Amino acid sequence: MATIKRRKKLSDLQIPKFKAPGFGAILFTIVFIYILIMIINSINSTAPVIFTVEQSSYDTDFTAVGLAIRKETLINAKVSGMPYYYVRDGQKVSKNANIYAMDSSGSFQNAMEAIQSEGVDILSSEDYSTLKNQIKMFKTGFSSSSFGDMYSFKTSIDNKLLELYEEKVFELAGGTSSSNLLNAEKAPFSGLVTYYQDGYESITKKDISPDLFDKTIYSKQTLKSEKGIEAGSPVCKLIDDESWEIAILLTKDEYEKVTKNSMISYTINDSSRTLTTDYEKLEKDGSYYIIVSFNKYIAQYVNERFLDINFSFEESSGLKIPQSSIVKKDAYMIPVDFLTSGANDADQIYFNQINKNGDDSPELISPLIYFQDDRFCYVDMSEIDANAILRKMDSDETFSVATAARYTMDGVLCVTKGTAQFRRIVVKVSGDDYSIVEPGISYGISRYDRILLDGSSMNEGDMLN
């Protein structure tokens, strides 16, 4: 027989009981959550990086490319033949002096080959004596301070030997006159003789363009030839040595730096001689140039078209700060005529502010004035009411601050007493990563001051963590 179990009554069921947490558990949970939040905040936030202001200097010198512009004349051969040169490269020649002679018939060349092959002595004992005396006299008067005279002396000896050589050639050629053997050409004007062409001979400063400064496409050809020269072809070049110019291509920043002063200092091709001259400014088709003019030194650079111009400036010394530290701040520009001094404090500067209730006794206020010039004082905007009305001392003239112009200052956030405070700076030289600023300005910074490396990481007045 099956057994039937009796269902339990609802009252007989046991309901589990929940025990409320104690005070200690609740306190522990709160502390744990607080610590967790602080840890998360510390992970997500970056402490501001501090930079200590240093005394430093900044090298502002730079080198630019200069283009030599001269009065250059190509001398073309009138007849074909083999040229024989009387003047060395870079030597000055006077007007109507022989520059070169052209052997158009070949007789001179044949006679020269005969002299060389037969070993004929072209100098007599008298010739040797004359040359020896000239060398002795030069040696006696030579000074190392005039070393360049040696080149002139060498040229004169070379020309003398060439004349003696020609005389011997004429003698071996059967007494033929030099006019039949050689066609000598004379200088049309005095100047420097050189033996190359580059296509820049007719360039003037009116023709200046950046393409002319491209060394990669520049081509220079010698005019001397061992195979002879055709009539009408250039045989040499004559340069007027009275005056010449150097055109210098600059970037906009370099141009602005150079043209701040009426005179510039520079060297040419690392020369030990520093030149200080005036210059001409030229802006053309978006490019920037300066032109310097000379009436000397041309002989040193007669064979160079491009010159390295090394500009030098006075060393800029001051306080070194990172570029990332610089921030900007606006200030009110209030006319200096509205400044006054207190009755008992001559050193303190005030403004007379008209009371809002309109009575006749103005209130003396003394907001922060960063600096002032002949016309305005530059006032911290947070320390004066934007709607304030100022009254001039001993006058009924008033000035509304709401109408004041605003001046944007450069500055940094200086860490003082745990807060970020704005300090004004005046940049002397601005570089890619650092700037040099003037020391000792009003409400400025000093050496060893601590400033924010990233000026945008905090606001003025913020507390440092």
Side-chain angles (χ1 to χ4, degrees):
M1 181 176 177
T3 302
I4 299 175
K5 293 184 178 180
R6 186 167 58 88
R7 181 179 295 177
K8 292 184 178 180
K9 295 180 179 179
L10 185 60
S11 59
D12 296 334
L13 295 177
Q14 298 292 325
I15 299 175
K17 296 180 179 180
F18 295 94
K19 186 177 181 181
F23 175 77
I26 295 174
L27 180 61
F28 174 80
T29 302
I30 293 174
V31 172
F32 176 78
I33 293 174
Y34 174 78
I35 294 174
L36 183 61
I37 292 174
M38 294 298 294
I39 292 174
I40 294 174
N41 286 338
S42 65
I43 293 174
N44 293 333
S45 63
T46 303
V49 180
I50 304 301
F51 178 87
T52 302
V53 177
E54 304 171 358
Q55 186 81 23
S56 185
S57 61
Y58 202 91
D59 183 12
T60 60
D61 298 351
F62 67 90
T63 299
V65 177
L67 182 71
I69 300 175
R70 299 174 284 246
K71 299 176 183 177
E72 306 178 17
T73 303
L74 289 172
I75 307 298
N76 296 325
K78 294 181 178 179
V79 296
S80 300
M82 180 65 68
Y84 293 90
Y85 299 102
Y86 291 92
V87 184
R88 71 176 178 87
D89 193 8
Q91 181 189 359
K92 185 173 182 178
V93 65
S94 59
K95 183 178 179 179
N96 294 325
N98 288 340
I99 303 178
Y100 72 96
M102 189 71 76
D103 179 17
S104 56
S105 65
S107 301
F108 193 80
Q109 178 69 21
N110 295 334
M112 288 179 61
E113 292 175 355
I115 290 176
Q116 294 174 356
S117 61
E118 296 174 7
V120 177
D121 190 354
I122 63 172
L123 298 181
S124 64
S125 58
E126 183 179 352
D127 294 332
Y128 277 115
S129 178
T130 300
L131 292 174
K132 183 177 179 180
N133 288 334
Q134 290 182 5
I135 294 173
K136 183 177 180 180
M137 290 177 63
F138 175 79
K139 184 177 180 180
T140 303
F142 176 75
S143 171
S144 58
S145 61
S146 56
F147 186 79
D149 293 343
M150 186 178 70
Y151 295 105
S152 299
F153 176 72
K154 178 180 179 299
T155 300
S156 66
I157 294 296
D158 290 341
N159 288 340
K160 181 63 177 177
L161 290 173
L162 182 59
E163 291 174 2
L164 296 173
Y165 200 67
E166 288 177 353
E167 290 177 3
K168 193 66 177 180
V169 170
F170 298 149
E171 180 183 338
L172 293 178
T176 307
S177 65
S178 61
S179 60
N180 293 331
L181 278 179
L182 296 174
N183 295 285
E185 292 295 335
K186 300 182 182 300
F189 57 88
S190 64
L192 300 174
V193 177
T194 188
Y195 301 99
Y196 77 92
Q197 64 175 346
D198 57 6
Y200 285 62
E201 283 76 20
S202 60
I203 293 296
T204 68
K205 61 185 177 183
K206 295 181 180 179
D207 305 312
I208 291 299
S209 69
D211 292 341
L212 294 177
F213 293 80
D214 189 351
K215 297 180 182 180
T216 62
I217 61 176
Y218 177 73
S219 178
K220 181 178 180 180
Q221 298 94 27
T222 180
L223 296 177
K224 288 189 174 182
S225 173
E226 296 180 357
K227 299 179 180 180
I229 293 178
E230 296 294 326
S233 299
V235 65
C236 65
K237 184 163 61 176
L238 190 59
I239 299 176
D240 187 345
D241 65 339
E242 294 299 322
S243 61
W244 63 297
E245 298 168 314
I246 300 177
I248 306 165
L249 176 63
L250 302 171
T251 65
K252 184 177 181 180
D253 289 342
E254 292 171 344
Y255 180 80
E256 291 175 351
K257 182 184 294 185
V258 169
T259 56
K260 284 182 179 179
N261 301 311
S262 59
M263 304 289 285
I264 54 174
S265 296
Y266 56 93
T267 60
I268 302 177
N269 289 357
D270 295 323
S271 169
S272 59
R273 178 179 56 242
T274 299
L275 305 176
T276 301
T277 64
D278 55 7
Y279 59 91
E280 176 185 349
K281 294 188 288 186
L282 176 62
E283 297 183 34
K284 182 180 179 183
D285 299 329
S287 297
Y288 301 87
Y289 313 86
I290 63 169
I291 314 293
V292 291
S293 301
F294 304 91
N295 55 14
K296 54 184 177 180
Y297 308 127
I298 190 171
Q300 300 175 40
Y301 310 107
V302 68
N303 284 312
E304 298 182 69
R305 183 64 66 186
F306 298 104
L307 305 167
D308 289 332
I309 310 300
N310 309 294
F311 289 96
S312 58
F313 302 86
E314 292 184 3
E315 186 181 67
S316 295
S317 59
L319 302 175
K320 178 182 178 181
I321 63 169
Q323 288 284 63
S324 59
S325 297
I326 299 177
V327 296
K328 295 185 180 296
K329 182 177 182 178
D330 289 341
Y332 285 131
M333 297 173 62
I334 299 178
V336 294
D337 295 343
F338 287 85
L339 288 174
T340 185
S341 58
N344 299 320
D345 188 356
D347 295 330
Q348 187 72 27
I349 297 178
Y350 297 90
F351 291 107
N352 285 315
Q353 178 177 303
I354 297 177
N355 291 330
K356 294 181 180 180
N357 57 17
D359 60 37
D360 292 335
S361 58
E363 175 188 0
L364 287 178
I365 60 172
S366 182
L368 172 59
I369 300 175
Y370 286 104
F371 68 104
Q372 66 184 70
D373 54 29
D374 293 337
R375 298 181 59 196
F376 297 100
C377 50
Y378 300 83
V379 181
D380 189 337
M381 297 176 60
S382 66
E383 296 202 2
I384 190 170
D385 189 344
N387 297 315
I389 304 297
L390 307 180
R391 192 172 75 182
K392 189 180 294 187
M393 190 68 174
D394 299 328
S395 173
D396 293 333
E397 185 179 349
T398 61
F399 177 83
S400 174
V401 174
T403 65
R406 298 188 180 188
Y407 174 80
T408 301
M409 301 178 293
D410 287 330
V412 295
L413 293 180
C414 188
V415 178
T416 303
K417 298 180 180 179
T419 60
Q421 298 182 5
F422 179 85
R423 291 290 183 268
R424 186 171 69 97
I425 62 171
V426 175
V427 177
K428 297 180 66 177
V429 180
S430 181
D432 294 333
D433 299 317
Y434 292 91
S435 286
I436 301 297
V437 303
E438 292 185 7
I441 65 172
S442 61
Y443 291 96
I445 56 176
S446 302
R447 189 178 185 184
Y448 304 126
D449 277 351
R450 300 167 70 241
I451 63 175
L452 294 182
L453 178 64
D454 182 4
S456 62
S457 62
M458 295 182 66
N459 297 317
E460 183 181 4
D462 285 354
M463 299 287 296
L464 272 71
N465 295 329

